[in-house]
Amino acid sequence: MSTRFLRTATLVAFAAFSTYSYAQDDSPGRVGRIAMIQGQVDIAGDVGEEVNAGMVNWPVTSRNQITTGRDGRTEIRIGSTAIRLDADSSLDVTELDDETLRLHLHYGSVNIRVRNPDLARGFELTTPDGLVRLDEVGQLRVDTGRRRDQTVVSVFTGQALVDGGGERITVCAGRRAEFGRDELRTSQAMRDSFDEWSMLRDQRADRSESVRYVTSEMTGYEDLDQHGSWRDSHEYGPLWSPRHVPSNWAPYRDGRWTYLQPWGWTWVDNAPWGYAPSHYGRWVMVDRRWCWAPGRNISRVVWSPALVGWVGGGYSVVTFGSARLPAQGWYPLTPYDEYRPGYRMRGEHLRHVNRHVRKRDERTSIITNTIRKAGLTVVPQSNFAQRGTVVVPTAPRPSAPTGSLITDLVAKAGMPPAPRDYRPRERRQEVQPRTSAFTGLPGQAPQFGVGAQPRGGRYGVERRGDEPAPAAAPVAAGVVSAQPAPAVIAEQQRGERGRRGERDPDLERDRRPRGAESFQMQQAQQRQQQMHHEQQRDSMVRQAAMQAAAQQRQQQAIQQQAAQQQAMQQAAQQQAMQQAAQQQAMHQAAQQQAMQQAAQQQAMQQRQQQEQAMQQRDQQEHARGIRGMVQRAAERQEQQQREERQRAAPAPQQTAPVGGFQRSPDELRRRAKEDMR
């Protein structure tokens, strides 16, 4: 008995300490979303929460798991960061906050593009075989589980650091690394249809005009261009207006409320563009038209579950059809309203969210009241007391005019409390691990363990063994709730006692021990539950083995298709190489022909130059010959003249010097001229 008491006390102390530690943590300012869904896509929260079908605009944060079916694909956006899962894949968002993004890929293929340098420094992706980090912004793809004990990392842009196979290497752009338990090798990166699809999605986001008005780190900005238009206002700054909305449309009216930790009630909009306008900025009415005002000079953004003001509560009664029930309402905040969160939020985050809030005067007060009346939405307050989601379009609407609602509902304002029996995750008891049909390849154990189905609802709410599950069917618009007003009041009283820490006398009476007979019945029930759990475990093991065999056959088919595609690619490459060789040969032949023509032209030019030189020499020689002939003719004529003069008047004889010969003066002159020649 003492051992049981000590064990119970230890569990209670641990739960209290965990709850206190959880309460001390501030909520992160960065949250992602599911931006696109094709085929079967499932999302689950923390351990113990059931798996649900994913939907567009669903918030993605720490401890979320996203799984795709055989025909499924999905895209997760975190600001400018895009995470895309291919078919038959499972990804865990281990940690997501202002500085960190840690992922774990259990099996399948993921394509990731990180454009934010701050987020790239805190990026980390793990697989069963290794670890991948980013040295800089870029895009990469990771495949694991496609082959036994092997992970493939392909880097398309940027640079990644890979730890695997007992080694650590840096993989540059255009390369890929394949590693397993004991080996690591590199090769050239190749793209397939999944990567081409990711490139088309990136090009769509890169062409967005909204980055002129908001930062790309605002999650959901890429869907604003397709569904609305921008304009500039002197009073409010950039304004965005949605297109193709009904005449009675208002913000936070077409969607659902869901309870998420640590924020509380969180809005999920049905419109594909509704994520950014629901979690950032404010709403105004300009020319009787709703416009979203994100504010000027937005360099960083802080996420909020919903920027609304809450009115009403358990003490405000409004007519719904023919019944008068407690009401709960909300309206979109304007640039003149401060946001007051109902959860723990950092001071710098709160200052950033309210940085554009303006002071009110008489005119702005009238504008604010008009916007509140036009945007007020009211549902029965009991809708927020149940587990699950509050689907607003199917909830009954009040029949009283909007003008009188604010006066009635303002009696008690504030965010609705947590749904009934909601407890923090750290205080759960007997929570089984989340089951999964995936067992990896033959010979591998299940990734998440196999056991009984966990107790609890979609949002981590445990249900007592003696309490039936509440009905969550939506109520059609204009129909009065089947639950009478006294039951609603009793339900609210039990919720108030739970919030004050008081015990419910009815539940305590049911929980009292009833002697040895009750103890034996409890033991029998425990044995039956244990047998039932073992049967479920065996059944799930058999199903897992069958699915593993089916997955192996599917992988073999995929490998055959990949081999065929590779053969086709090789044939295409060979054909391209042959065409390139033919083109190169034709180019070389053309070059040789051009060179021959140039050589022939050069030879012709040389011959022409030689002929011109010979002609010039002939002309010069001919000119020299003519001059010589003229000169010789002149000399003969001069000699003849001298001879004639000599014959006409012979010169007197002169005696030569002693020892010499006697010569005439004319002969001496002639000899002197010959010597000069």
Side-chain angles (χ1 to χ4, degrees), residues 33-61:
R33 73 153 181 154
I34 296 180
M36 191 278 305
I37 289 178
Q38 290 181 0
Q40 180 184 358
V41 178
D42 298 328
I43 183 171
D46 202 357
V47 175
E49 296 185 7
E50 62 180 353
V51 179
N52 296 274
M55 61 178 297
V56 176
N57 289 335
W58 191 268
V60 177
T61 183

Side-chain angles (χ1 to χ4, degrees), residues 172-192:
C172 300
R175 304 291 295 174
R176 75 173 182 175
E178 302 178 11
F179 57 90
R181 294 182 178 179
D182 301 324
E183 61 177 355
L184 190 152
R185 59 179 181 270
T186 61
S187 60
Q188 185 177 2
M190 299 181 63
R191 296 180 182 268
D192 59 5

Side-chain angles (χ1 to χ4, degrees), residues 290-533:
W290 286 102
C291 299
W292 176 57
R296 298 182 185 272
N297 301 326
I298 298 178
S299 57
R300 62 172 294 194
V301 291
V302 176
W303 187 87
S304 301
L307 293 164
V308 299
W310 293 93
V311 296
Y315 301 101
S316 299
V317 180
V318 178
T319 302
F320 290 89
S322 60
R324 291 178 60 83
L325 301 176
Q328 188 74 52
W330 61 89
Y331 58 87
L333 295 181
T334 68
Y336 305 99
D337 297 323
E338 289 188 3
Y339 175 65
R340 298 179 181 179
Y343 54 93
R344 187 179 179 88
M345 190 178 189
R346 294 182 184 178
E348 58 178 345
H349 286 178
L350 184 59
R351 287 191 297 270
H352 188 79
V353 171
N354 294 324
R355 69 191 184 283
H356 294 307
V357 175
R358 305 181 181 186
K359 295 182 180 180
R360 293 188 188 178
D361 52 18
E362 184 177 357
R363 185 184 68 88
T364 56
S365 297
I366 296 174
I367 295 175
T368 303
N369 292 333
T370 303
I371 294 175
R372 287 182 180 181
K373 293 179 181 179
L376 181 63
T377 304
V378 180
V379 297
Q381 204 273 339
S382 60
N383 290 6
F384 289 94
Q386 64 184 2
R387 295 190 295 269
T389 59
V390 180
V391 183
V392 177
T394 60
R397 299 295 173 83
S399 59
T402 307
S404 63
L405 285 177
I406 294 182
T407 305
D408 297 336
L409 295 177
V410 81
K412 183 179 180 182
M415 181 181 294
R420 182 171 55 88
D421 288 348
Y422 181 85
R423 287 178 290 176
R425 297 184 176 91
E426 288 78 7
R427 297 187 62 183
R428 298 180 192 153
Q429 299 178 6
E430 301 179 2
V431 175
Q432 299 292 338
R434 182 169 54 225
T435 59
S436 174
F438 176 76
T439 59
L441 298 174
Q444 286 184 328
Q447 294 290 339
F448 309 106
V450 179
Q453 290 289 344
R455 294 189 300 170
R458 181 173 183 175
Y459 305 98
V461 181
E462 283 194 37
R463 187 169 61 248
R464 293 185 294 271
D466 56 350
E467 179 187 356
V475 183
V479 179
V480 181
S481 175
Q483 186 179 9
V488 177
I489 296 174
E491 186 71 23
Q492 292 176 354
Q493 290 177 356
R494 283 197 295 270
E496 291 292 337
R497 284 195 296 268
R499 285 191 294 274
R500 292 195 300 267
E502 300 177 1
R503 296 182 177 180
D504 193 339
D506 297 334
L507 298 179
E508 290 297 325
R509 184 169 56 255
D510 294 337
R511 290 177 179 175
R512 292 193 185 114
R514 300 176 182 176
E517 181 180 359
S518 176
F519 180 72
Q520 293 176 359
M521 292 177 61
Q522 290 179 1
Q523 286 186 340
Q525 290 178 357
Q526 290 178 358
R527 286 194 296 270
Q528 290 179 358
Q529 291 179 358
Q530 185 176 2
M531 292 175 60
H532 182 64
H533 292 168

Side-chain angles (χ1 to χ4, degrees), residues 10-22 426-427:
T10 303
L11 290 174
V12 171
F14 179 77
F17 177 77
S18 301
T19 304
Y20 175 79
S21 300
Y22 187 83
E426 288 78 7
R427 297 187 62 183

